[in-house]
Amino acid sequence: EAQVTQNPRYLITVTGKKLTVTCSQNMNHEYMSWYRQDPGLGLRQIYYSMNVEVTDKGDVPEGYKVSRKEKRNFPLILESPSPNQTSLYFCASRSPGAVSGYTFGSGTRLTVV
Amino acid sequence: GQQLNQSPQSMFIQEGEDVSMNCTSSSIFNTWLWYKQDPGEGPVLLIALYKAGELTSNGRLTAQFGITRKDSFLNISASIPSDVGIYFCAGRPVLTGNTGKLIFGQGTTLQVKP
């Protein structure tokens, strides 16, 4: 089944403790992206990647890092999480064609205390 | 960053009624997408639009790419309880080209009373 897989689904952590949210897709998509969803703000793009070793900032990149060492994986790294990063995070992927939309994972709910 | 203004924020309607929501931008977009998010899940693509003036249907859903390229609307006809969820518009600004960038609206929460 074609899908984007995120892990974990739920995570509670403490301020300052580094964490990584993994994302993997099995559709051989070139483009991948991370979004965060907050009430009243919709989905805001954190980072996106157009291919291996090619990443770019979205609208809210502060406090996050990403890497794209392999085509299928696009982990999101929070080096020093803070409470304002408590949110619902989505990974997504798509093919590079201009007519394609992102396929989303099921989300990771992160709470930073 | 760039924003899309989506309205209304929420709707509570009776089953069988038609629904309309829209999205506007201050800049020109070359793609408009409409997504639906069910509780506990990621957004799922409903309709994609690529040309100004384009009108596209998917079952009871109809969406249009505004002629000015700065807006789009989504209509749902004869709503049913499973239409409940959050609907998002999303767009690719012309200035960013076909990059990975995709901007979302704030979402419209739809509730349907049986």
Side-chain angles (χ1 to χ4, degrees), chain A residues 40-60:
Chain A
L41 297 177
L43 292 124
R44 293 180 294 167
Q45 197 167 28
I46 303 171
Y47 270 95
Y48 60 91
S49 169
M50 294 169 67
N51 215 324
V52 174
E53 303 292 2
V54 179
T55 63
D56 208 347
K57 295 178 180 178
D59 293 317
V60 288

Side-chain angles (χ1 to χ4, degrees), chain B residues 56-72:
Chain B
T56 297
S57 293
N58 178 6
R60 294 179 294 107
L61 278 60
T62 301
Q64 185 160 27
F65 192 139
I67 199 74
T68 65
R69 302 172 75 183
K70 293 183 178 181
D71 61 348
S72 177

Side-chain angles (χ1 to χ4, degrees), chain A residues 8-61:
Chain A
R9 285 294 306 268
Y10 302 91
L11 179 60
I12 301 175
T13 190
V14 296
T15 299
K17 185 177 181 182
K18 181 179 177 180
L19 66 91
T20 299
V21 184
T22 64
C23 174
S24 179
Q25 51 95 3
N26 63 1
M27 295 167 281
N28 202 35
H29 285 164
E30 280 82 359
Y31 290 16
M32 298 187 74
S33 183
W34 277 101
Y35 285 85
R36 61 177 289 175
Q37 182 178 8
D38 302 288
L41 297 177
L43 292 124
R44 293 180 294 167
Q45 197 167 28
I46 303 171
Y47 270 95
Y48 60 91
S49 169
M50 294 169 67
N51 215 324
V52 174
E53 303 292 2
V54 179
T55 63
D56 208 347
K57 295 178 180 178
D59 293 317
V60 288

